[in-house]
Amino acid sequence: MARITASVFTSHVPAIGAAMDLGKTQEDYWKPLFAGYEYSREWMKDNKPDVIFLVFNDHATAFSLEMIPTFAIGTAAQYQPADEGWGPRPVPAVQGHPDLASHIAQSVIQQDFDLTIVNQMDVDHGLTVPLSLMCGQKDPVKDAWPCPVIPFAVNVVQYPVPSGQRCFNLGQAIRKAIESYDEDLNVHIWGTGGMSHQLQGPRAGLINKEWDNRFLDLMIEDPVAAAKIPHIEYVREAGSEGIELVMWLIARGAMSDVVDGKLQGPAPKLKHRFFHVPASNTAVGHLILENA
Ligand code: DHB
Ligand code: FE
């Protein structure tokens, strides 16, 4: 049987990918940010998953205003890094896991969540930057990512976006789906995006360290309360792009202490917590939780 053993949470700023691709990680501006992921890279080597279920958002790269799925699961065998305007990032192609992804689609749809099935999709910084942060720089030709990845795209770009509560409930359905897969697989679930940032309008540049750190506390200790945060609070307190944080609730809802919407099992172990400002326009937050 497949099992979720850990969840990883991280921001996804495109400039982080550019800093890695252009060899700037040791510059004064970037050094403290990358230092916060040194532990995580060691942890990834010591806890290598068989599959990563990676919750992320597309930034009008694979999808556009022509078609906007709220929740989309990647069932393809391979995903290419997207061209986001300066050419595709020089990172390896992402290998999928069509068999497990199709199983999850079947199970989650039968648990009453409407997923869009995606057989062809390029993946932007929302997916490749978390992989780079956690796995380090990879040569696009000679290297590969450590394991197959199932991309799970959430619409947090075009209103209306899903609520945190719905994301949290969906996480529970995804865990059930994974645990009903008939092969012994060690699965990590990643929730990415956030933390506070606003890229446009009069409040562009907004960062809210206090709110972000309270959100990190809730993700660790009280995700049931975090799931109740209304949409308008994210926008008000964490900025218009801070809404990306609802994706963290999918990964947190899939952890084993969450049963029937309540905290019932033993709490996950906090392996790592990191927060850093600034990275481009965004507050960077990062957690690693292991199931007890
Ligand atoms: C930035 C952050 C994002 O989440 C994004 O998608 C694009 C840009 C930034 O901070 O520059
Ligand atoms: Fe983003």
Side-chain angles (χ1 to χ4, degrees):
M1 170 177 140
R3 286 206 170 275
I4 295 173
T5 57
S7 53
V8 171
F9 306 85
T10 180
S11 308
H12 70 207
V13 188
I16 293 175
M20 291 183 74
D21 301 341
L22 300 172
K24 294 184 175 178
T25 60
Q26 293 313 300
E27 289 184 359
D28 289 348
Y29 180 86
W30 289 111
K31 212 172 168 174
L33 181 276
F34 288 102
Y37 286 83
E38 273 164 27
Y39 171 88
S40 315
R41 291 181 189 173
E42 288 310 307
W43 178 87
M44 272 299 283
K45 284 182 201 146
D46 296 342
N47 296 276
K48 193 174 145 340
D50 298 312
V51 183
I52 298 167
F53 188 92
L54 206 160
V55 181
F56 77 111
N57 71 289
D58 175 75
H59 299 76
T61 307
F63 305 126
S64 70
L65 290 178
E66 287 177 11
M67 205 186 296
I68 307 163
T70 302
F71 299 117
I73 186 163
T75 44
Q78 202 182 72
Y79 308 88
Q80 296 299 330
D83 185 342
E84 300 179 59
W86 286 269
R89 286 191 62 211
V91 294
V94 176
Q95 304 306 319
H97 197 307
D99 203 65
L100 177 58
S102 306
H103 169 84
I104 294 171
Q106 160 80 18
S107 168
V108 168
I109 290 168
Q110 287 295 318
Q111 291 177 73
D112 306 333
F113 287 90
D114 306 320
L115 307 185
T116 299
I117 292 158
V118 181
N119 289 314
Q120 157 98 53
M121 166 168 70
D122 290 347
V123 287
D124 71 11
H125 67 274
L127 186 130
T128 63
V129 166
L131 279 176
S132 293
L133 278 169
M134 293 299 294
C135 309
Q137 191 67 359
K138 302 278 177 206
D139 184 276
V141 181
K142 285 182 251 157
D143 295 329
W145 299 114
C147 67
V149 173
I150 298 175
F152 191 87
V154 179
N155 169 40
V156 285
V157 168
Q158 176 61 41
Y159 292 94
V161 300
S163 68
Q165 185 67 59
R166 183 150 178 83
C167 290
F168 191 61
N169 298 348
L170 173 58
Q172 295 166 63
I174 290 168
R175 178 166 109 236
K176 278 191 196 143
I178 290 172
E179 289 181 347
S180 65
Y181 188 68
D182 221 9
E183 189 187 331
D184 287 331
L185 291 177
N186 172 4
V187 181
H188 288 183
I189 185 161
W190 294 12
T192 66
M195 298 195 84
S196 58
H197 62 306
Q198 172 145 347
L199 302 176
Q200 70 225 297
R203 296 202 309 163
L206 176 145
I207 298 283
N208 188 342
K209 287 186 200 177
E210 290 71 33
W211 191 91
D212 285 341
N213 274 287
R214 204 157 38 83
F215 189 82
L216 292 173
D217 293 342
L218 288 180
M219 288 300 290
I220 298 163
E221 289 159 12
D222 197 354
V224 173
K228 294 195 170 75
I229 297 173
H231 165 260
I232 194 64
E233 182 176 331
Y234 289 95
V235 178
R236 211 175 263 149
E237 300 292 334
S240 53
E241 277 65 50
I243 192 67
E244 288 180 344
L245 283 170
V246 293
M247 295 185 289
W248 291 32
L249 284 159
I250 296 179
R252 189 60 183 88
M255 294 299 280
S256 58
D257 60 334
V258 183
V259 182
D260 296 331
K262 301 189 192 80
L263 288 190
Q264 296 192 30
K269 274 183 280 181
L270 174 64
K271 300 302 286 188
H272 190 47
R273 174 175 178 158
F274 177 63
F275 182 78
H276 177 78
V277 176
S280 187
N281 303 293
T282 301
V284 168
H286 173 39
L287 296 173
I288 299 177
L289 299 180
E290 279 178 7
N291 267 331

